[in-house]
Amino acid sequence: MRNEAGEFEVWLTDEELSALQDRLNELDKDDEYSFRRAFVPYKSADHDDAIEQFDEKTIRVYQYLRDYGTDETRKTIDESFRKLVTSVVS
């Protein structure tokens, strides 16, 4: 399975693909909810459980892709997270 950008290649059984689709569907629902919450002026994103849940589920999806991905997929995900951590620390 490859995404349209061609960044992630994973080899999955039908069961594993179904599990990935479930994770992506959960993420999609949370993304929609988080988007609607973004326009609530009195709710700070720093203390929003919806944002934290979205972040956790995003990490779970990337971890799943990394677990089942090719060497190139794992390398791409590892580099992305290294850049993210570096930018947060800086």
Side-chain angles (χ1 to χ4, degrees), residues 21-84:
Q21 289 170 326
D22 289 344
R23 282 182 166 89
L24 291 171
N25 288 336
E26 278 184 42
L27 189 61
D28 188 46
K29 288 178 191 172
D30 285 352
D31 186 30
E32 190 175 309
Y33 178 71
S34 296
F35 177 75
R36 282 186 270 128
R37 294 288 303 250
F39 298 104
V40 178
Y42 57 85
K43 185 73 172 173
S44 170
D46 294 344
H47 302 95
D48 193 343
D49 291 338
I51 300 296
E52 288 178 23
Q53 289 175 1
F54 178 75
D55 290 346
E56 290 172 15
K57 289 180 181 176
T58 301
I59 291 168
R60 283 185 31 209
V61 166
Y62 276 98
Q63 184 63 53
Y64 197 86
L65 292 171
R66 188 188 183 289
D67 289 346
Y68 291 96
T70 62
D71 289 341
E72 187 63 30
T73 295
R74 286 191 290 277
K75 179 182 170 188
T76 301
I77 290 172
D78 290 347
E79 287 174 1
S80 295
F81 274 96
R82 257 194 304 279
K83 289 177 186 174
L84 177 64

